[in-house]
Amino acid sequence: MEVFYELCKNGDLQTVKIEYEQNGEVIKKYLHSKYDPIKEAKQWASSVYDEEDKVYIVYGGGLLYHIMALHDIIDNEEDKIIVFEPVQELYEKNKDTDFFKENTNVVYTNEFNENLVAALFLEQINSMYYNKTSIHIFTSYDNFESSKQFTVYNAFKMFKSDVYLSYNTTHSRKEWVIENFIKNYRFIKSNSIINDFKNVFEGMTAVIVSAGPSLDKNINDLMGHENDVVIFTGGRPLRAILNAGIKPHFNLSIDMMPENYDLYKRYDILDTDVPLISSVENQYLITQNYKGKKIFADLSGLERDLSKEWYEEDIDSLFTKGSVATLQLSAAIYMGCKKIIFIGQDLAYSDDKKHSSLASDVDNTVEDSEHNLYVKGNYQDKILSRADLNYFRMAIQDYIREYSHEDCEFINATEGGAFIEGTKICTLKEALKDIDTKGIDIRKKINDILLKEKNISDYEKIDKKFSSLLQDMEAILKLSKKGLNISNKLRAIEEYYGNNKYLEQLDKIDEKLKKYKIAYNFVVRYTVSLSISVQGKKSKTIKDILDNTKKMYKDINNITQMYIKYLKEELEILKKLKLNH
């Protein structure tokens, strides 16, 4: 491809012409108007601007006239423009311009690896705005490098799927999440937080133990290495490891469902003294009844400042995508481990089993399902897996890509299962050769941190905090009922929408709701609409607006009642605890 710069016909501005071969034919194309690129840019920017959009994804930057024009229109530092430039020479020419240095809300890239583009979207697009994001192709780039256009579209679909899964997990289980969020608080205040373990095992080796079928093959090979490597596991494989005479260093749990507590009871692991790394929204009965010391990480998704205000300390977050294995991986890297060994990480139905026989007490038979699929295996051309397992595999791959450049080595010693891109495949025995312990006594290091004096929960202070939150929630409930009543009146006379007293009343209600900063933010995180449009075409009919308004107040009403229910329950417990202390 050749790139030529020419002066425009009516001024000193440049346009750019590219020449390239396509299907044996030489294509010549101007990327901007030969006469007035500024006028063209303004017209294009006006045509794609939508006052509801918060993020604009643009394929084709050229000489940036249209990007600057769009930026001038949005005029809001919170709104973002993500620009993909498929022409390498133009990317190199523009990437260091003052425009990008001065406007940090404009992201400029020539990355077209689908997974990395999806990761870019996850990093740059607030999940609250996934239904306020639109994709646009600049006029002259239409049908140019179509494969790269598809990459952007497909990556955006991956991003949406990721947000949808994350949101749907939280939204569909919101009552359990809310209950755990409230009932874990007093335990968080009297236990360790993940920050205490930042880089404490710098340069060491970690073993991530999962409950895949292949764990049966090599679990015993881990015996005798407890002083050499930091061992992370989850609830399901914990009993199998302990039965093998191996005591792991950390047990991790993120599942908010009551079934997770049932598993801990069935596997008889509640009395284990292995330190538990837990989400702040982990099933509260595990938090209350687990014997080992607890270490909390904030996976709530709350904005950092809000989380800090609520917990009165800055609790770090860890990466997770619905799988305890991704949390184990994140914790290992957070603690400074540079060599990560996976075992039992099949992410597939090895030997026609769902789990390790040593770590399963239920029917282990693989059922036929429309969600089953075949993926590349570590030792086979293909192996049977399932859609959610494959999602977790891709999540691990994303994390490996992010950290592989930081001298981290990833080894898949599962000895079966699905292939994880970015990992070296070998046996566990081979992986454990020549381990550098860095002279650290792992168990002593952990105990020294955990035995540091912790604050005793101030039940009086927590009582006041929860009582205040309860008052705010009751005020929000009252306002949401009023808002719902008014929105019903709007529906009855919707032809007058936008021009009547009811709209003014709703605006006042919204203003009052936002005054309850913490309580309101706790509620609205569960009220995000699931309507996603790749094209950014959002229906704006009066009926749609009214339906969304009514739904919003219904959601606020329902969610607020959940908070009130569990705050009252916890306040009763706090009352008894205060009497006993």
Side-chain angles (χ1 to χ4, degrees):
M1 178 186 296
E2 293 187 86
V3 180
F4 305 94
Y5 304 97
E6 300 179 3
L7 284 175
C8 296
K9 303 289 186 183
N10 63 346
D12 297 329
L13 294 174
Q14 281 188 326
T15 186
V16 60
K17 181 174 73 172
I18 58 173
E19 293 186 7
Y20 58 97
E21 188 173 314
Q22 183 174 294
N23 299 325
E25 179 184 359
V26 176
I27 307 293
K28 299 180 181 181
K29 177 182 287 194
Y30 282 93
L31 298 183
H32 299 285
S33 168
K34 293 186 291 182
Y35 298 93
D36 194 341
I38 298 297
K39 180 180 179 181
E40 175 194 48
K42 289 180 177 178
Q43 289 175 341
W44 181 86
S46 296
S47 71
V48 302
Y49 173 72
D50 186 322
E51 62 182 11
E52 290 189 15
D53 278 339
K54 302 296 290 182
V55 182
Y56 297 84
I57 299 170
V58 180
Y59 179 81
L63 296 178
L64 306 179
Y65 298 124
H66 56 294
I67 303 301
M68 293 178 183
L70 180 58
H71 185 264
D72 288 342
I73 293 176
I74 63 174
D75 193 31
N76 187 336
E77 291 183 2
E78 292 183 1
D79 295 349
K80 281 196 173 182
I81 305 173
I82 303 175
V83 185
F84 289 87
E85 179 51 70
V87 181
Q88 182 67 29
E89 182 175 326
L90 288 173
Y91 173 75
E92 296 295 335
K93 176 182 174 67
N94 294 326
K95 67 178 182 178
D96 296 320
T97 61
D98 290 341
F99 175 71
F100 295 119
K101 295 174 184 176
E102 295 166 1
N103 300 288
T104 55
N105 62 331
V106 184
V107 179
Y108 189 57
T109 181
N110 72 333
E111 178 59 69
F112 290 99
N113 176 290
E114 194 169 284
N115 288 307
L116 295 181
V117 173
L120 173 70
F121 290 152
L122 282 168
E123 177 185 343
Q124 295 293 336
I125 303 175
N126 187 318
S127 60
M128 297 287 283
Y129 297 151
Y130 66 95
N131 65 327
K132 295 183 178 181
T133 299
S134 55
I135 296 181
H136 306 279
I137 300 174
F138 184 55
T139 313
S140 56
Y141 281 77
D142 196 20
N143 296 321
F144 174 65
E145 295 271 26
S146 297
S147 63
K148 291 181 177 179
Q149 292 180 27
F150 287 131
T151 294
V152 175
Y153 275 95
N154 288 336
F156 188 58
K157 289 179 180 178
M158 289 172 63
F159 162 75
K160 290 192 304 175
S161 297
D162 189 54
V163 172
Y164 181 88
L165 180 63
S166 175
Y167 173 79
N168 197 44
T169 299
T170 301
H171 189 76
S172 62
R173 303 175 179 181
K174 57 182 175 289
E175 184 158 5
W176 287 303
V177 176
I178 290 169
E179 182 177 21
N180 297 331
F181 181 74
I182 296 298
K183 295 185 177 180
N184 279 331
Y185 188 87
R186 58 189 158 96
F187 296 93
I188 295 168
K189 301 305 292 180
S190 59
N191 280 280
S192 299
I193 59 175
I194 195 67
N195 308 45
D196 299 332
F197 290 84
K198 179 78 171 177
N199 292 326
V200 294
F201 299 119
E202 184 69 40
M204 291 192 68
T205 297
V207 176
I208 309 296
V209 184
S210 297
S214 298
L215 183 63
D216 298 351
K217 300 176 184 177
N218 58 10
I219 188 172
N220 291 325
D221 294 335
L222 191 57
M223 193 178 299
H225 289 280
E226 295 98 313
N227 296 323
D228 304 329
V229 296
V230 188
I231 303 173
F232 297 81
T233 188
R236 191 179 292 277
L238 177 57
R239 175 51 57 195
I241 298 174
L242 292 172
N243 286 342
I246 303 162
K247 187 176 182 181
H249 299 102
F250 297 102
N251 174 31
L252 290 88
S253 180
I254 56 171
D255 198 333
M256 69 282 291
M257 304 283 281
E259 287 82 356
N260 196 32
Y261 177 61
D262 293 339
L263 182 145
Y264 270 65
K265 287 196 297 183
R266 289 201 323 270
Y267 282 41
D268 193 24
I269 52 178
L270 286 169
D271 287 335
T272 305
D273 63 356
V274 176
L276 175 72
I277 298 177
S278 170
S279 160
V280 296
E281 293 172 344
N282 186 48
Q283 170 53 226
Y284 79 95
L285 288 170
I286 294 177
T287 305
Q288 290 184 8
N289 295 290
Y290 189 82
K291 178 182 176 182
K293 298 282 188 179
K294 288 93 178 175
I295 304 159
F296 287 94
D298 184 6
L299 310 181
S300 66
L302 289 173
E303 291 184 10
R304 187 104 186 197
D305 290 345
L306 186 65
S307 173
K308 187 175 180 180
E309 184 176 351
W310 175 245
Y311 290 111
E312 298 171 357
E313 58 184 334
D314 195 1
I315 306 176
D316 279 350
S317 180
L318 295 177
F319 163 90
T320 182
K321 287 193 176 181
S323 157
V324 72
T326 58
L327 182 63
Q328 291 170 275
L329 172 59
S330 180
I333 292 177
Y334 181 88
M335 293 183 188
C337 298
K338 294 296 185 182
K339 184 176 182 180
I340 313 295
I341 302 171
F342 297 99
I343 64 171
Q345 195 61 52
D346 290 74
L347 297 166
Y349 297 133
S350 303
D351 303 321
D352 294 322
K353 294 189 295 186
K354 291 187 286 188
H355 300 292
S356 158
S357 298
L358 300 172
S360 179
D361 65 346
V362 294
D363 184 7
N364 213 6
T365 307
V366 178
E367 306 94 354
D368 288 332
S369 169
E370 61 179 340
H371 301 296
N372 289 350
L373 51 84
Y374 283 92
V375 298
K376 180 181 178 182
N378 284 321
Y379 298 95
Q380 303 158 266
D381 289 336
K382 62 180 183 178
I383 188 170
L384 185 65
S385 182
R386 196 176 62 216
D388 58 340
L389 296 176
N390 193 47
Y391 171 82
F392 300 143
R393 181 181 67 87
M394 291 190 292
I396 292 172
Q397 289 179 167
D398 288 344
Y399 205 63
I400 288 173
R401 287 190 196 94
E402 184 175 345
Y403 282 93
S404 58
H405 65 282
E406 296 189 14
D407 299 324
C408 287
E409 181 184 7
F410 299 91
I411 298 173
N412 195 342
T414 295
E415 301 183 33
F419 175 71
I420 302 173
E421 188 177 313
T423 60
K424 172 188 172 183
I425 300 172
C426 68
T427 66
L428 181 57
K429 285 182 179 179
E430 292 170 335
L432 291 172
K433 288 180 181 177
D434 303 320
I435 294 294
D436 184 358
T437 65
K438 301 295 180 182
I440 296 175
D441 184 327
I442 301 171
R443 199 84 60 188
K444 183 177 185 302
K445 185 77 171 178
I446 294 170
N447 288 337
D448 286 348
I449 295 171
L450 292 175
L451 290 174
K452 286 181 182 177
E453 187 175 345
K454 304 297 176 187
N455 294 326
I456 297 173
S457 286
D458 186 338
Y459 297 130
E460 187 66 44
K461 187 176 180 180
I462 297 173
D463 184 288
K464 289 179 180 178
K465 193 181 192 78
F466 279 19
S467 295
S468 176
L469 183 61
L470 177 60
Q471 287 180 352
D472 289 352
M473 288 294 178
E474 287 173 337
I476 289 174
L477 179 61
K478 186 176 179 180
L479 286 168
S480 70
K481 288 180 177 178
K482 187 175 180 181
L484 185 57
N485 182 48
I486 294 171
S487 65
N488 282 329
K489 292 178 181 178
L490 275 170
R491 175 177 293 280
I493 51 171
E494 68 177 64
E495 63 267 25
Y496 300 111
Y497 180 80
N499 190 29
N500 59 68
K501 62 180 181 181
Y502 298 123
L503 182 59
E504 293 178 5
Q505 290 174 8
L506 288 176
D507 286 341
K508 289 178 181 178
I509 287 173
D510 289 345
E511 289 175 11
K512 290 178 181 178
L513 283 170
K514 291 174 183 177
K515 288 180 180 178
Y516 300 100
K517 179 186 172 185
I518 289 183
Y520 181 67
N521 276 279
F522 284 175
V523 171
V524 296
R525 57 193 290 235
Y526 300 108
T527 64
V528 182
S529 168
L530 287 177
S531 59
I532 305 173
S533 168
V534 174
Q535 298 293 342
K537 304 295 185 184
K538 294 173 282 294
S539 175
K540 298 179 185 176
T541 67
I542 291 173
K543 184 178 183 304
D544 288 331
I545 293 171
L546 294 176
D547 285 346
N548 286 336
T549 301
K550 187 174 181 180
K551 183 181 184 303
M552 181 187 75
Y553 286 115
K554 275 185 176 179
D555 285 348
I556 291 175
N557 191 302
N558 293 335
I559 292 163
T560 305
Q561 289 188 64
M562 293 177 194
Y563 273 105
I564 290 171
K565 173 184 176 182
Y566 295 118
L567 281 167
K568 286 182 176 179
E569 287 182 6
E570 188 67 2
L571 282 165
E572 284 298 314
I573 294 171
L574 286 166
K575 186 187 296 182
K576 295 175 183 176
L577 289 170
K578 285 192 297 179
L579 287 173
N580 292 334
H581 284 74

